[in-house]
Amino acid sequence: KYSALSGKVSLNWTVDDHHFLYAFAATGFKPGGLNVDVGLGPPAPFKSEKVTNYEVGWKAGWFDGHLRTQMDVYYNDYENFQVIIGYPEFPTFGFELNVPDTTQVYGFEAQAEAVFGQFSLDAGLGWMHSDLGAFWAVDPRNPPSALIASFAQCDPRLGPVGVAPALIIPYCLNLEGQDQTYAPEFSFNLGAQYIFDIGDGMTLTPRFNFGHVSKQWATLFEDTARGDRIEDRNIVNAQLAWSDGEWTATLYSTNLTDQHYVAALNSNLNFAGPPRQYGVRVMKVF
């Protein structure tokens, strides 16, 4: 059973018709739960997670409303941050633990939308940094004989404990300062389109999108030799839409360059990102 009281306090200021400033502080809650026994001894339940979020932002309009921008900075402070440790021998299960020390995630985001006649442009970027609190854990990919012994003597808060802590040190790892998993430091996207009038109320609209996602870690152990590093990727999407106001037919392609990349890692299993896909969509407006 878990219960929590969450709330939000915000301050908004409409500077004028084109500029809006805001700031807020909010709290959030994620309940705890039970772990599944995967043969390494009775697992302990994991506790609830709490976060306090602070954000300051600015929304603005420029050039008589043709350009809209939004920027914000944020800071998240986590208590008992929940993390999942996967097992190579049991890839369908994960063991969830709490980081006993404070975990921090903070960053900056910006978006822009521009419309000038038939041409429109949209863009966004994000920078994020995550910092895991003091936390000790065992990488389950170590040899099983060492794994079982080290699990019993690796305390998430204290590190190696027990009758022979010196034997556990190579397996009980201090993860303080590691990145949150699947948290790229930088991401960027850009999209553009132009509406061509081809007569009789019909239009032809080509659109292109480009997205970049920087390198990221798939596990908290950040072991490059084991493939924990997911490389950056650049994805291009394109489409061409014909419309007469009631009917719209769109020829589209995602991952146009057919980039091959690893999107996720689970218990030493690599999951490929979607390959190039293409198709046609037809829509009727009533």
Side-chain angles (χ1 to χ4, degrees):
K1 244 185 186 181
Y2 292 93
S3 63
L5 178 66
S6 298
K8 178 180 179 180
V9 177
S10 62
L11 178 65
N12 301 329
W13 180 24
T14 303
V15 181
D16 54 36
D17 291 341
H18 303 289
H19 298 274
F20 175 78
L21 302 174
Y22 70 90
F24 69 80
T27 59
F29 167 80
K30 185 191 294 183
L34 301 175
N35 283 302
V36 177
D37 190 344
V38 293
L40 298 174
F46 55 93
K47 301 177 183 178
S48 60
E49 172 188 290
K50 297 180 180 179
V51 61
T52 302
N53 168 236
Y54 305 93
E55 185 171 321
V56 178
W58 172 29
K59 300 180 181 182
W62 312 89
F63 306 109
D64 295 325
H66 289 285
L67 174 64
R68 294 185 298 174
T69 59
Q70 177 176 335
M71 293 179 285
D72 66 84
V73 293
Y74 61 89
Y75 175 84
N76 294 324
D77 184 276
Y78 288 89
E79 178 184 341
N80 286 328
F81 185 64
Q82 295 173 358
V83 296
I84 297 177
I85 308 296
Y87 292 104
E89 300 300 325
F90 308 95
T92 57
F93 295 104
F95 198 72
E96 196 145 356
L97 302 172
N98 294 99
V99 177
D101 198 17
T102 299
T103 293
Q104 302 171 344
V105 178
Y106 52 89
F108 166 80
E109 297 175 327
Q111 299 88 34
E113 296 177 336
V115 178
F116 294 95
Q118 305 295 90
F119 175 75
S120 60
L121 180 76
D122 57 88
L125 65 88
W127 174 84
M128 178 176 61
H129 179 77
S130 54
D131 192 1
L132 204 68
F135 176 58
W136 298 77
V138 174
D139 188 340
R141 296 168 296 185
N142 279 337
S145 59
L147 176 64
I148 296 175
S150 58
F151 249 109
Q153 296 177 280
C154 186
D155 185 277
R157 182 182 296 274
L158 303 175
V161 295
V163 294
L167 300 177
I168 309 305
I169 290 177
Y171 309 104
C172 187
L173 306 175
N174 186 1
L175 305 180
E176 182 176 5
Q178 305 287 71
D179 290 343
Q180 182 184 354
T181 56
Y182 301 106
E185 189 172 79
F186 179 74
S187 59
F188 171 78
N189 64 82
L190 177 67
Q193 70 177 39
Y194 191 91
I195 303 175
F196 292 94
D197 187 352
I198 57 177
D200 295 329
M202 294 184 294
T203 60
L204 197 63
T205 306
R207 177 175 177 82
F208 294 90
N209 295 88
F210 170 80
H212 170 79
V213 178
S214 67
K215 297 178 181 180
Q216 52 193 296
W217 291 106
T219 80
L220 298 175
F221 301 100
E222 300 185 1
D223 191 336
T224 305
R226 296 181 185 272
D228 290 353
R229 189 69 159 175
I230 294 180
E231 296 301 318
D232 57 354
R233 55 184 181 265
N234 299 292
I235 303 298
V236 178
N237 303 323
Q239 67 176 43
L240 180 65
W242 168 90
S243 177
D244 67 356
E246 293 185 357
W247 288 91
T248 300
T250 304
L251 175 66
Y252 69 91
S253 176
T254 57
N255 192 4
L256 188 63
T257 60
D258 198 24
Q259 182 175 162
H260 292 198
Y261 63 94
V262 174
L265 173 70
N266 181 19
S267 297
N268 279 11
L269 300 177
N270 289 334
F271 291 83
R276 178 171 54 220
Q277 302 175 67
Y278 50 87
V280 176
R281 291 190 296 263
V282 178
M283 181 180 70
K284 173 71 167 66
V285 178
F286 298 93

